[in-house]
Every structure is written in structure tokens, then in C-alpha cells.
PDB file of all heavy atoms in Angstrom:
ATOM      1  N   TYR A   1      24.800  63.971 -32.645  1.00  0.00           N
ATOM      2  CA  TYR A   1      24.979  63.312 -31.359  1.00  0.00           C
ATOM      3  C   TYR A   1      26.110  63.909 -30.520  1.00  0.00           C
ATOM      4  O   TYR A   1      26.304  63.499 -29.381  1.00  0.00           O
ATOM      5  CB  TYR A   1      25.209  61.812 -31.560  1.00  0.00           C
ATOM      6  CG  TYR A   1      23.942  61.071 -31.933  1.00  0.00           C
ATOM      7  CD1 TYR A   1      23.658  60.782 -33.259  1.00  0.00           C
ATOM      8  CD2 TYR A   1      23.030  60.689 -30.961  1.00  0.00           C
ATOM      9  CE1 TYR A   1      22.494  60.114 -33.616  1.00  0.00           C
ATOM     10  CE2 TYR A   1      21.857  60.023 -31.302  1.00  0.00           C
ATOM     11  CZ  TYR A   1      21.598  59.746 -32.629  1.00  0.00           C
ATOM     12  OH  TYR A   1      20.440  59.097 -32.975  1.00  0.00           O
ATOM     13  N   LEU A   2      26.869  64.844 -31.054  1.00  0.00           N
ATOM     14  CA  LEU A   2      27.837  65.548 -30.220  1.00  0.00           C
ATOM     15  C   LEU A   2      27.095  66.292 -29.115  1.00  0.00           C
ATOM     16  O   LEU A   2      26.082  66.954 -29.373  1.00  0.00           O
ATOM     17  CB  LEU A   2      28.635  66.551 -31.049  1.00  0.00           C
ATOM     18  CG  LEU A   2      29.809  66.038 -31.874  1.00  0.00           C
ATOM     19  CD1 LEU A   2      30.378  67.185 -32.704  1.00  0.00           C
ATOM     20  CD2 LEU A   2      30.886  65.449 -30.984  1.00  0.00           C
ATOM     21  N   VAL A   3      27.601  66.235 -27.900  1.00  0.00           N
ATOM     22  CA  VAL A   3      26.951  66.949 -26.800  1.00  0.00           C
ATOM     23  C   VAL A   3      26.861  68.445 -27.105  1.00  0.00           C
ATOM     24  O   VAL A   3      25.848  69.092 -26.820  1.00  0.00           O
ATOM     25  CB  VAL A   3      27.697  66.703 -25.474  1.00  0.00           C
ATOM     26  CG1 VAL A   3      27.227  67.666 -24.384  1.00  0.00           C
ATOM     27  CG2 VAL A   3      27.506  65.264 -25.014  1.00  0.00           C
ATOM     28  N   GLU A   4      27.904  68.998 -27.725  1.00  0.00           N
ATOM     29  CA  GLU A   4      27.882  70.419 -28.074  1.00  0.00           C
ATOM     30  C   GLU A   4      26.730  70.739 -29.018  1.00  0.00           C
ATOM     31  O   GLU A   4      26.121  71.819 -28.928  1.00  0.00           O
ATOM     32  CB  GLU A   4      29.214  70.830 -28.704  1.00  0.00           C
ATOM     33  CG  GLU A   4      30.379  70.919 -27.739  1.00  0.00           C
ATOM     34  CD  GLU A   4      30.941  69.566 -27.330  1.00  0.00           C
ATOM     35  OE1 GLU A   4      30.547  68.537 -27.941  1.00  0.00           O
ATOM     36  OE2 GLU A   4      31.762  69.518 -26.401  1.00  0.00           O
ATOM     37  N   ASN A   5      26.403  69.810 -29.922  1.00  0.00           N
ATOM     38  CA  ASN A   5      25.311  70.055 -30.854  1.00  0.00           C
ATOM     39  C   ASN A   5      23.945  69.897 -30.191  1.00  0.00           C
ATOM     40  O   ASN A   5      22.966  70.518 -30.617  1.00  0.00           O
ATOM     41  CB  ASN A   5      25.439  69.141 -32.068  1.00  0.00           C
ATOM     42  CG  ASN A   5      26.596  69.548 -32.961  1.00  0.00           C
ATOM     43  OD1 ASN A   5      27.086  70.673 -32.874  1.00  0.00           O
ATOM     44  ND2 ASN A   5      27.056  68.644 -33.805  1.00  0.00           N
ATOM     45  N   VAL A   6      23.875  69.075 -29.155  1.00  0.00           N
ATOM     46  CA  VAL A   6      22.645  69.006 -28.369  1.00  0.00           C
ATOM     47  C   VAL A   6      22.427  70.331 -27.643  1.00  0.00           C
ATOM     48  O   VAL A   6      21.304  70.855 -27.586  1.00  0.00           O
ATOM     49  CB  VAL A   6      22.700  67.832 -27.374  1.00  0.00           C
ATOM     50  CG1 VAL A   6      21.449  67.822 -26.489  1.00  0.00           C
ATOM     51  CG2 VAL A   6      22.832  66.505 -28.113  1.00  0.00           C
ATOM     52  N   PHE A   7      23.500  70.894 -27.099  1.00  0.00           N
ATOM     53  CA  PHE A   7      23.401  72.231 -26.502  1.00  0.00           C
ATOM     54  C   PHE A   7      22.936  73.251 -27.544  1.00  0.00           C
ATOM     55  O   PHE A   7      22.108  74.116 -27.248  1.00  0.00           O
ATOM     56  CB  PHE A   7      24.749  72.658 -25.920  1.00  0.00           C
ATOM     57  CG  PHE A   7      24.993  72.213 -24.510  1.00  0.00           C
ATOM     58  CD1 PHE A   7      26.002  71.312 -24.214  1.00  0.00           C
ATOM     59  CD2 PHE A   7      24.240  72.721 -23.466  1.00  0.00           C
ATOM     60  CE1 PHE A   7      26.231  70.909 -22.909  1.00  0.00           C
ATOM     61  CE2 PHE A   7      24.463  72.330 -22.157  1.00  0.00           C
ATOM     62  CZ  PHE A   7      25.463  71.411 -21.873  1.00  0.00           C
ATOM     63  N   ASP A   8      23.469  73.161 -28.772  1.00  0.00           N
ATOM     64  CA  ASP A   8      23.064  74.098 -29.825  1.00  0.00           C
ATOM     65  C   ASP A   8      21.579  73.965 -30.137  1.00  0.00           C
ATOM     66  O   ASP A   8      20.885  74.967 -30.372  1.00  0.00           O
ATOM     67  CB  ASP A   8      23.886  73.861 -31.090  1.00  0.00           C
ATOM     68  CG  ASP A   8      25.329  74.326 -30.958  1.00  0.00           C
ATOM     69  OD1 ASP A   8      25.624  75.086 -30.013  1.00  0.00           O
ATOM     70  OD2 ASP A   8      26.154  73.926 -31.795  1.00  0.00           O
ATOM     71  N   LEU A   9      21.079  72.739 -30.176  1.00  0.00           N
ATOM     72  CA  LEU A   9      19.658  72.499 -30.422  1.00  0.00           C
ATOM     73  C   LEU A   9      18.812  73.176 -29.355  1.00  0.00           C
ATOM     74  O   LEU A   9      17.801  73.835 -29.656  1.00  0.00           O
ATOM     75  CB  LEU A   9      19.394  70.991 -30.441  1.00  0.00           C
ATOM     76  CG  LEU A   9      17.940  70.549 -30.592  1.00  0.00           C
ATOM     77  CD1 LEU A   9      17.427  70.873 -31.991  1.00  0.00           C
ATOM     78  CD2 LEU A   9      17.802  69.054 -30.293  1.00  0.00           C
ATOM     79  N   LEU A  10      19.220  73.034 -28.098  1.00  0.00           N
ATOM     80  CA  LEU A  10      18.487  73.647 -26.998  1.00  0.00           C
ATOM     81  C   LEU A  10      18.579  75.160 -27.045  1.00  0.00           C
ATOM     82  O   LEU A  10      17.578  75.866 -26.852  1.00  0.00           O
ATOM     83  CB  LEU A  10      19.033  73.108 -25.670  1.00  0.00           C
ATOM     84  CG  LEU A  10      18.483  73.731 -24.387  1.00  0.00           C
ATOM     85  CD1 LEU A  10      16.960  73.683 -24.345  1.00  0.00           C
ATOM     86  CD2 LEU A  10      19.081  73.014 -23.172  1.00  0.00           C
ATOM     87  N   GLN A  11      19.767  75.677 -27.316  1.00  0.00           N
ATOM     88  CA  GLN A  11      19.934  77.128 -27.386  1.00  0.00           C
ATOM     89  C   GLN A  11      19.063  77.730 -28.487  1.00  0.00           C
ATOM     90  O   GLN A  11      18.458  78.801 -28.309  1.00  0.00           O
ATOM     91  CB  GLN A  11      21.403  77.474 -27.617  1.00  0.00           C
ATOM     92  CG  GLN A  11      21.691  78.969 -27.548  1.00  0.00           C
ATOM     93  CD  GLN A  11      23.169  79.257 -27.614  1.00  0.00           C
ATOM     94  OE1 GLN A  11      23.918  78.615 -28.350  1.00  0.00           O
ATOM     95  NE2 GLN A  11      23.623  80.221 -26.827  1.00  0.00           N
ATOM     96  N   ASP A  12      18.977  77.048 -29.624  1.00  0.00           N
ATOM     97  CA  ASP A  12      18.143  77.536 -30.714  1.00  0.00           C
ATOM     98  C   ASP A  12      16.672  77.554 -30.309  1.00  0.00           C
ATOM     99  O   ASP A  12      15.934  78.491 -30.645  1.00  0.00           O
ATOM    100  CB  ASP A  12      18.346  76.658 -31.947  1.00  0.00           C
ATOM    101  CG  ASP A  12      17.538  77.121 -33.137  1.00  0.00           C
ATOM    102  OD1 ASP A  12      17.798  78.241 -33.631  1.00  0.00           O
ATOM    103  OD2 ASP A  12      16.630  76.385 -33.562  1.00  0.00           O
ATOM    104  N   ALA A  13      16.234  76.539 -29.567  1.00  0.00           N
ATOM    105  CA  ALA A  13      14.840  76.492 -29.123  1.00  0.00           C
ATOM    106  C   ALA A  13      14.530  77.640 -28.166  1.00  0.00           C
ATOM    107  O   ALA A  13      13.451  78.238 -28.220  1.00  0.00           O
ATOM    108  CB  ALA A  13      14.557  75.152 -28.452  1.00  0.00           C
ATOM    109  N   ILE A  14      15.482  77.942 -27.290  1.00  0.00           N
ATOM    110  CA  ILE A  14      15.291  79.068 -26.369  1.00  0.00           C
ATOM    111  C   ILE A  14      15.221  80.375 -27.143  1.00  0.00           C
ATOM    112  O   ILE A  14      14.353  81.225 -26.896  1.00  0.00           O
ATOM    113  CB  ILE A  14      16.424  79.095 -25.327  1.00  0.00           C
ATOM    114  CG1 ILE A  14      16.365  77.849 -24.435  1.00  0.00           C
ATOM    115  CG2 ILE A  14      16.340  80.364 -24.474  1.00  0.00           C
ATOM    116  CD1 ILE A  14      17.565  77.696 -23.511  1.00  0.00           C
ATOM    117  N   ALA A  15      16.133  80.550 -28.106  1.00  0.00           N
ATOM    118  CA  ALA A  15      16.160  81.784 -28.896  1.00  0.00           C
ATOM    119  C   ALA A  15      14.887  81.939 -29.724  1.00  0.00           C
ATOM    120  O   ALA A  15      14.401  83.070 -29.922  1.00  0.00           O
ATOM    121  CB  ALA A  15      17.385  81.787 -29.807  1.00  0.00           C
ATOM    122  N   ARG A  16      14.317  80.827 -30.190  1.00  0.00           N
ATOM    123  CA  ARG A  16      13.097  80.878 -31.009  1.00  0.00           C
ATOM    124  C   ARG A  16      11.833  80.847 -30.173  1.00  0.00           C
ATOM    125  O   ARG A  16      10.729  80.840 -30.708  1.00  0.00           O
ATOM    126  CB  ARG A  16      13.114  79.714 -32.004  1.00  0.00           C
ATOM    127  CG  ARG A  16      14.200  79.837 -33.065  1.00  0.00           C
ATOM    128  CD  ARG A  16      14.374  78.552 -33.849  1.00  0.00           C
ATOM    129  NE  ARG A  16      13.141  78.132 -34.515  1.00  0.00           N
ATOM    130  CZ  ARG A  16      13.010  76.966 -35.152  1.00  0.00           C
ATOM    131  NH1 ARG A  16      14.044  76.125 -35.200  1.00  0.00           N
ATOM    132  NH2 ARG A  16      11.873  76.638 -35.733  1.00  0.00           N
ATOM    133  N   ASN A  17      11.994  80.820 -28.848  1.00  0.00           N
ATOM    134  CA  ASN A  17      10.848  80.862 -27.924  1.00  0.00           C
ATOM    135  C   ASN A  17       9.876  79.722 -28.210  1.00  0.00           C
ATOM    136  O   ASN A  17       8.666  79.930 -28.396  1.00  0.00           O
ATOM    137  CB  ASN A  17      10.133  82.212 -28.013  1.00  0.00           C
ATOM    138  CG  ASN A  17       9.231  82.465 -26.817  1.00  0.00           C
ATOM    139  OD1 ASN A  17       9.450  81.934 -25.730  1.00  0.00           O
ATOM    140  ND2 ASN A  17       8.193  83.261 -27.006  1.00  0.00           N
ATOM    141  N   ALA A  18      10.393  78.511 -28.243  1.00  0.00           N
ATOM    142  CA  ALA A  18       9.559  77.332 -28.472  1.00  0.00           C
ATOM    143  C   ALA A  18       8.450  77.257 -27.425  1.00  0.00           C
ATOM    144  O   ALA A  18       8.622  77.676 -26.279  1.00  0.00           O
ATOM    145  CB  ALA A  18      10.422  76.073 -28.414  1.00  0.00           C
ATOM    146  N   ASP A  19       7.299  76.709 -27.812  1.00  0.00           N
ATOM    147  CA  ASP A  19       6.151  76.660 -26.901  1.00  0.00           C
ATOM    148  C   ASP A  19       6.434  75.836 -25.659  1.00  0.00           C
ATOM    149  O   ASP A  19       5.943  76.150 -24.569  1.00  0.00           O
ATOM    150  CB  ASP A  19       4.933  76.070 -27.631  1.00  0.00           C
ATOM    151  CG  ASP A  19       4.268  77.085 -28.549  1.00  0.00           C
ATOM    152  OD1 ASP A  19       4.710  78.249 -28.565  1.00  0.00           O
ATOM    153  OD2 ASP A  19       3.309  76.719 -29.255  1.00  0.00           O
ATOM    154  N   ARG A  20       7.203  74.769 -25.800  1.00  0.00           N
ATOM    155  CA  ARG A  20       7.524  73.937 -24.636  1.00  0.00           C
ATOM    156  C   ARG A  20       8.970  73.482 -24.721  1.00  0.00           C
ATOM    157  O   ARG A  20       9.414  72.983 -25.754  1.00  0.00           O
ATOM    158  CB  ARG A  20       6.606  72.722 -24.559  1.00  0.00           C
ATOM    159  CG  ARG A  20       6.922  71.796 -23.362  1.00  0.00           C
ATOM    160  CD  ARG A  20       5.962  70.621 -23.308  1.00  0.00           C
ATOM    161  NE  ARG A  20       6.066  69.782 -24.498  1.00  0.00           N
ATOM    162  CZ  ARG A  20       5.205  68.808 -24.799  1.00  0.00           C
ATOM    163  NH1 ARG A  20       4.168  68.592 -24.031  1.00  0.00           N
ATOM    164  NH2 ARG A  20       5.391  68.072 -25.890  1.00  0.00           N
ATOM    165  N   ILE A  21       9.681  73.647 -23.625  1.00  0.00           N
ATOM    166  CA  ILE A  21      11.051  73.150 -23.514  1.00  0.00           C
ATOM    167  C   ILE A  21      11.166  72.465 -22.158  1.00  0.00           C
ATOM    168  O   ILE A  21      10.999  73.097 -21.114  1.00  0.00           O
ATOM    169  CB  ILE A  21      12.093  74.273 -23.621  1.00  0.00           C
ATOM    170  CG1 ILE A  21      12.002  74.982 -24.970  1.00  0.00           C
ATOM    171  CG2 ILE A  21      13.506  73.714 -23.413  1.00  0.00           C
ATOM    172  CD1 ILE A  21      12.926  76.175 -25.103  1.00  0.00           C
ATOM    173  N   SER A  22      11.432  71.186 -22.176  1.00  0.00           N
ATOM    174  CA  SER A  22      11.637  70.418 -20.948  1.00  0.00           C
ATOM    175  C   SER A  22      13.025  69.805 -21.005  1.00  0.00           C
ATOM    176  O   SER A  22      13.355  69.082 -21.952  1.00  0.00           O
ATOM    177  CB  SER A  22      10.578  69.310 -20.830  1.00  0.00           C
ATOM    178  OG  SER A  22      10.822  68.505 -19.693  1.00  0.00           O
ATOM    179  N   VAL A  23      13.843  70.113 -20.005  1.00  0.00           N
ATOM    180  CA  VAL A  23      15.223  69.628 -20.022  1.00  0.00           C
ATOM    181  C   VAL A  23      15.668  69.268 -18.617  1.00  0.00           C
ATOM    182  O   VAL A  23      15.348  69.957 -17.645  1.00  0.00           O
ATOM    183  CB  VAL A  23      16.173  70.690 -20.640  1.00  0.00           C
ATOM    184  CG1 VAL A  23      16.104  72.014 -19.903  1.00  0.00           C
ATOM    185  CG2 VAL A  23      17.604  70.180 -20.702  1.00  0.00           C
ATOM    186  N   ASP A  24      16.375  68.161 -18.512  1.00  0.00           N
ATOM    187  CA  ASP A  24      17.016  67.741 -17.271  1.00  0.00           C
ATOM    188  C   ASP A  24      18.517  67.633 -17.540  1.00  0.00           C
ATOM    189  O   ASP A  24      18.932  66.928 -18.464  1.00  0.00           O
ATOM    190  CB  ASP A  24      16.489  66.380 -16.795  1.00  0.00           C
ATOM    191  CG  ASP A  24      15.024  66.443 -16.399  1.00  0.00           C
ATOM    192  OD1 ASP A  24      14.658  67.309 -15.599  1.00  0.00           O
ATOM    193  OD2 ASP A  24      14.244  65.611 -16.910  1.00  0.00           O
ATOM    194  N   TYR A  25      19.293  68.328 -16.714  1.00  0.00           N
ATOM    195  CA  TYR A  25      20.744  68.338 -16.884  1.00  0.00           C
ATOM    196  C   TYR A  25      21.408  67.361 -15.920  1.00  0.00           C
ATOM    197  O   TYR A  25      20.906  67.128 -14.802  1.00  0.00           O
ATOM    198  CB  TYR A  25      21.300  69.738 -16.606  1.00  0.00           C
ATOM    199  CG  TYR A  25      20.822  70.821 -17.541  1.00  0.00           C
ATOM    200  CD1 TYR A  25      19.770  71.658 -17.190  1.00  0.00           C
ATOM    201  CD2 TYR A  25      21.421  71.026 -18.779  1.00  0.00           C
ATOM    202  CE1 TYR A  25      19.329  72.665 -18.033  1.00  0.00           C
ATOM    203  CE2 TYR A  25      21.002  72.030 -19.631  1.00  0.00           C
ATOM    204  CZ  TYR A  25      19.946  72.847 -19.249  1.00  0.00           C
ATOM    205  OH  TYR A  25      19.521  73.845 -20.083  1.00  0.00           O
ATOM    206  N   HIS A  26      22.529  66.816 -16.340  1.00  0.00           N
ATOM    207  CA  HIS A  26      23.343  66.010 -15.432  1.00  0.00           C
ATOM    208  C   HIS A  26      23.846  66.904 -14.310  1.00  0.00           C
ATOM    209  O   HIS A  26      24.371  67.998 -14.556  1.00  0.00           O
ATOM    210  CB  HIS A  26      24.516  65.385 -16.184  1.00  0.00           C
ATOM    211  CG  HIS A  26      25.291  64.392 -15.373  1.00  0.00           C
ATOM    212  ND1 HIS A  26      26.298  64.764 -14.519  1.00  0.00           N
ATOM    213  CD2 HIS A  26      25.198  63.036 -15.301  1.00  0.00           C
ATOM    214  CE1 HIS A  26      26.807  63.683 -13.948  1.00  0.00           C
ATOM    215  NE2 HIS A  26      26.160  62.623 -14.410  1.00  0.00           N
ATOM    216  N   GLU A  27      23.674  66.468 -13.079  1.00  0.00           N
ATOM    217  CA  GLU A  27      23.936  67.321 -11.930  1.00  0.00           C
ATOM    218  C   GLU A  27      25.372  67.819 -11.875  1.00  0.00           C
ATOM    219  O   GLU A  27      25.627  68.980 -11.544  1.00  0.00           O
ATOM    220  CB  GLU A  27      23.602  66.577 -10.634  1.00  0.00           C
ATOM    221  CG  GLU A  27      23.764  67.417  -9.378  1.00  0.00           C
ATOM    222  CD  GLU A  27      23.346  66.679  -8.126  1.00  0.00           C
ATOM    223  OE1 GLU A  27      22.928  65.498  -8.226  1.00  0.00           O
ATOM    224  OE2 GLU A  27      23.440  67.278  -7.035  1.00  0.00           O
ATOM    225  N   ARG A  28      26.325  66.973 -12.197  1.00  0.00           N
ATOM    226  CA  ARG A  28      27.730  67.369 -12.083  1.00  0.00           C
ATOM    227  C   ARG A  28      28.303  67.850 -13.415  1.00  0.00           C
ATOM    228  O   ARG A  28      28.943  68.893 -13.479  1.00  0.00           O
ATOM    229  CB  ARG A  28      28.569  66.186 -11.573  1.00  0.00           C
ATOM    230  CG  ARG A  28      30.045  66.533 -11.347  1.00  0.00           C
ATOM    231  CD  ARG A  28      30.835  65.316 -10.950  1.00  0.00           C
ATOM    232  NE  ARG A  28      30.855  64.301 -11.982  1.00  0.00           N
ATOM    233  CZ  ARG A  28      31.700  64.302 -13.026  1.00  0.00           C
ATOM    234  NH1 ARG A  28      32.578  65.278 -13.166  1.00  0.00           N
ATOM    235  NH2 ARG A  28      31.655  63.341 -13.928  1.00  0.00           N
ATOM    236  N   ALA A  29      28.032  67.113 -14.493  1.00  0.00           N
ATOM    237  CA  ALA A  29      28.677  67.412 -15.774  1.00  0.00           C
ATOM    238  C   ALA A  29      27.914  68.444 -16.600  1.00  0.00           C
ATOM    239  O   ALA A  29      28.479  69.031 -17.516  1.00  0.00           O
ATOM    240  CB  ALA A  29      28.862  66.132 -16.592  1.00  0.00           C
ATOM    241  N   GLY A  30      26.639  68.659 -16.316  1.00  0.00           N
ATOM    242  CA  GLY A  30      25.909  69.742 -16.949  1.00  0.00           C
ATOM    243  C   GLY A  30      25.266  69.439 -18.293  1.00  0.00           C
ATOM    244  O   GLY A  30      24.442  70.229 -18.752  1.00  0.00           O
ATOM    245  N   TYR A  31      25.599  68.316 -18.944  1.00  0.00           N
ATOM    246  CA  TYR A  31      25.030  68.058 -20.267  1.00  0.00           C
ATOM    247  C   TYR A  31      23.536  67.695 -20.135  1.00  0.00           C
ATOM    248  O   TYR A  31      23.094  67.186 -19.099  1.00  0.00           O
ATOM    249  CB  TYR A  31      25.791  66.950 -20.985  1.00  0.00           C
ATOM    250  CG  TYR A  31      25.763  65.602 -20.296  1.00  0.00           C
ATOM    251  CD1 TYR A  31      24.700  64.721 -20.510  1.00  0.00           C
ATOM    252  CD2 TYR A  31      26.788  65.209 -19.440  1.00  0.00           C
ATOM    253  CE1 TYR A  31      24.657  63.491 -19.883  1.00  0.00           C
ATOM    254  CE2 TYR A  31      26.753  63.981 -18.802  1.00  0.00           C
ATOM    255  CZ  TYR A  31      25.687  63.125 -19.026  1.00  0.00           C
ATOM    256  OH  TYR A  31      25.641  61.909 -18.387  1.00  0.00           O
ATOM    257  N   PRO A  32      22.723  67.942 -21.182  1.00  0.00           N
ATOM    258  CA  PRO A  32      21.303  67.589 -21.114  1.00  0.00           C
ATOM    259  C   PRO A  32      21.108  66.072 -21.153  1.00  0.00           C
ATOM    260  O   PRO A  32      21.436  65.426 -22.156  1.00  0.00           O
ATOM    261  CB  PRO A  32      20.708  68.248 -22.368  1.00  0.00           C
ATOM    262  CG  PRO A  32      21.722  69.276 -22.793  1.00  0.00           C
ATOM    263  CD  PRO A  32      23.055  68.702 -22.394  1.00  0.00           C
ATOM    264  N   GLU A  33      20.589  65.516 -20.070  1.00  0.00           N
ATOM    265  CA  GLU A  33      20.320  64.075 -20.059  1.00  0.00           C
ATOM    266  C   GLU A  33      19.042  63.760 -20.824  1.00  0.00           C
ATOM    267  O   GLU A  33      18.984  62.770 -21.564  1.00  0.00           O
ATOM    268  CB  GLU A  33      20.209  63.577 -18.618  1.00  0.00           C
ATOM    269  CG  GLU A  33      21.523  63.570 -17.864  1.00  0.00           C
ATOM    270  CD  GLU A  33      21.384  62.914 -16.512  1.00  0.00           C
ATOM    271  OE1 GLU A  33      20.629  63.437 -15.679  1.00  0.00           O
ATOM    272  OE2 GLU A  33      22.060  61.888 -16.279  1.00  0.00           O
ATOM    273  N   THR A  34      18.008  64.560 -20.635  1.00  0.00           N
ATOM    274  CA  THR A  34      16.778  64.426 -21.412  1.00  0.00           C
ATOM    275  C   THR A  34      16.358  65.809 -21.889  1.00  0.00           C
ATOM    276  O   THR A  34      16.495  66.799 -21.153  1.00  0.00           O
ATOM    277  CB  THR A  34      15.637  63.791 -20.594  1.00  0.00           C
ATOM    278  OG1 THR A  34      15.358  64.606 -19.455  1.00  0.00           O
ATOM    279  CG2 THR A  34      16.022  62.393 -20.143  1.00  0.00           C
ATOM    280  N   LEU A  35      15.853  65.869 -23.096  1.00  0.00           N
ATOM    281  CA  LEU A  35      15.453  67.143 -23.696  1.00  0.00           C
ATOM    282  C   LEU A  35      14.248  66.897 -24.587  1.00  0.00           C
ATOM    283  O   LEU A  35      14.246  65.979 -25.399  1.00  0.00           O
ATOM    284  CB  LEU A  35      16.606  67.715 -24.529  1.00  0.00           C
ATOM    285  CG  LEU A  35      16.305  68.928 -25.412  1.00  0.00           C
ATOM    286  CD1 LEU A  35      15.885  70.118 -24.573  1.00  0.00           C
ATOM    287  CD2 LEU A  35      17.525  69.274 -26.274  1.00  0.00           C
ATOM    288  N   LEU A  36      13.210  67.723 -24.415  1.00  0.00           N
ATOM    289  CA  LEU A  36      12.036  67.639 -25.264  1.00  0.00           C
ATOM    290  C   LEU A  36      11.606  69.054 -25.626  1.00  0.00           C
ATOM    291  O   LEU A  36      11.389  69.892 -24.747  1.00  0.00           O
ATOM    292  CB  LEU A  36      10.893  66.904 -24.576  1.00  0.00           C
ATOM    293  CG  LEU A  36       9.666  66.614 -25.449  1.00  0.00           C
ATOM    294  CD1 LEU A  36      10.039  65.662 -26.584  1.00  0.00           C
ATOM    295  CD2 LEU A  36       8.531  66.033 -24.621  1.00  0.00           C
ATOM    296  N   ILE A  37      11.499  69.306 -26.925  1.00  0.00           N
ATOM    297  CA  ILE A  37      11.158  70.628 -27.441  1.00  0.00           C
ATOM    298  C   ILE A  37       9.930  70.501 -28.332  1.00  0.00           C
ATOM    299  O   ILE A  37       9.869  69.622 -29.202  1.00  0.00           O
ATOM    300  CB  ILE A  37      12.320  71.207 -28.281  1.00  0.00           C
ATOM    301  CG1 ILE A  37      13.593  71.338 -27.437  1.00  0.00           C
ATOM    302  CG2 ILE A  37      11.934  72.557 -28.878  1.00  0.00           C
ATOM    303  CD1 ILE A  37      14.841  71.532 -28.274  1.00  0.00           C
ATOM    304  N   THR A  38       8.935  71.361 -28.108  1.00  0.00           N
ATOM    305  CA  THR A  38       7.786  71.455 -29.007  1.00  0.00           C
ATOM    306  C   THR A  38       7.651  72.903 -29.441  1.00  0.00           C
ATOM    307  O   THR A  38       7.462  73.792 -28.605  1.00  0.00           O
ATOM    308  CB  THR A  38       6.487  70.982 -28.328  1.00  0.00           C
ATOM    309  OG1 THR A  38       6.642  69.627 -27.914  1.00  0.00           O
ATOM    310  CG2 THR A  38       5.314  71.064 -29.299  1.00  0.00           C
ATOM    311  N   TYR A  39       7.721  73.124 -30.728  1.00  0.00           N
ATOM    312  CA  TYR A  39       7.663  74.496 -31.228  1.00  0.00           C
ATOM    313  C   TYR A  39       6.229  75.008 -31.352  1.00  0.00           C
ATOM    314  O   TYR A  39       6.002  76.212 -31.273  1.00  0.00           O
ATOM    315  CB  TYR A  39       8.378  74.590 -32.577  1.00  0.00           C
ATOM    316  CG  TYR A  39       9.880  74.543 -32.436  1.00  0.00           C
ATOM    317  CD1 TYR A  39      10.581  73.353 -32.585  1.00  0.00           C
ATOM    318  CD2 TYR A  39      10.598  75.690 -32.115  1.00  0.00           C
ATOM    319  CE1 TYR A  39      11.966  73.310 -32.427  1.00  0.00           C
ATOM    320  CE2 TYR A  39      11.976  75.663 -31.957  1.00  0.00           C
ATOM    321  CZ  TYR A  39      12.656  74.468 -32.122  1.00  0.00           C
ATOM    322  OH  TYR A  39      14.021  74.430 -31.956  1.00  0.00           O
ATOM    323  N   ASP A  40       5.250  74.121 -31.525  1.00  0.00           N
ATOM    324  CA  ASP A  40       3.856  74.538 -31.673  1.00  0.00           C
ATOM    325  C   ASP A  40       2.975  73.549 -30.902  1.00  0.00           C
ATOM    326  O   ASP A  40       2.711  72.445 -31.362  1.00  0.00           O
ATOM    327  CB  ASP A  40       3.458  74.575 -33.148  1.00  0.00           C
ATOM    328  CG  ASP A  40       2.091  75.211 -33.380  1.00  0.00           C
ATOM    329  OD1 ASP A  40       1.285  75.254 -32.428  1.00  0.00           O
ATOM    330  OD2 ASP A  40       1.838  75.677 -34.504  1.00  0.00           O
ATOM    331  N   LEU A  41       2.511  73.961 -29.718  1.00  0.00           N
ATOM    332  CA  LEU A  41       1.706  73.067 -28.889  1.00  0.00           C
ATOM    333  C   LEU A  41       0.321  72.824 -29.470  1.00  0.00           C
ATOM    334  O   LEU A  41      -0.293  71.787 -29.222  1.00  0.00           O
ATOM    335  CB  LEU A  41       1.562  73.664 -27.482  1.00  0.00           C
ATOM    336  CG  LEU A  41       2.761  73.477 -26.545  1.00  0.00           C
ATOM    337  CD1 LEU A  41       2.535  74.244 -25.250  1.00  0.00           C
ATOM    338  CD2 LEU A  41       2.993  72.004 -26.251  1.00  0.00           C
ATOM    339  N   ILE A  42      -0.208  73.764 -30.246  1.00  0.00           N
ATOM    340  CA  ILE A  42      -1.552  73.614 -30.796  1.00  0.00           C
ATOM    341  C   ILE A  42      -1.595  72.462 -31.790  1.00  0.00           C
ATOM    342  O   ILE A  42      -2.486  71.604 -31.757  1.00  0.00           O
ATOM    343  CB  ILE A  42      -2.012  74.925 -31.461  1.00  0.00           C
ATOM    344  CG1 ILE A  42      -2.132  76.032 -30.404  1.00  0.00           C
ATOM    345  CG2 ILE A  42      -3.351  74.719 -32.177  1.00  0.00           C
ATOM    346  CD1 ILE A  42      -2.510  77.382 -30.976  1.00  0.00           C
TER     347      ILE A  42
END
């Protein structure tokens, strides 16, 4: 639940080229407000 670890989760998904990554960031503070990752859409 650390914000830094949420960033790590997202960074790993980007590096692994997950099939779907949907993220909304807080406009001012930058942290991910909502994040959804799917590694295999099939």
C-alpha cells in the first residue's frame, strides 16, 4: 500500500508490456489514483 510500491507495480507492468494498462494520476500530486493491469487479455 505504499505509494512508491504502487508506482513499482505500474513500472513493472510497463516493462513487461502488459496487454492492458489503464491508469489515472492525481493531477497535482502525480500518484496513481486508479490503476488496472491485465497481463493476458485472452
Side-chain angles (χ1 to χ4, degrees):
Y1 286 97
L2 279 175
V3 168
E4 287 76 10
N5 289 342
V6 176
F7 273 115
D8 288 345
L9 176 69
L10 174 54
Q11 186 173 39
D12 181 64
I14 295 172
R16 292 168 58 187
N17 197 26
D19 282 357
R20 179 179 62 190
I21 299 175
S22 176
V23 57
D24 294 308
Y25 297 97
H26 188 275
E27 183 177 0
R28 183 184 63 83
Y31 62 85
E33 290 187 297
T34 60
L35 171 63
L36 187 64
I37 300 164
T38 301
Y39 285 96
D40 189 339
L41 281 174
I42 296 177

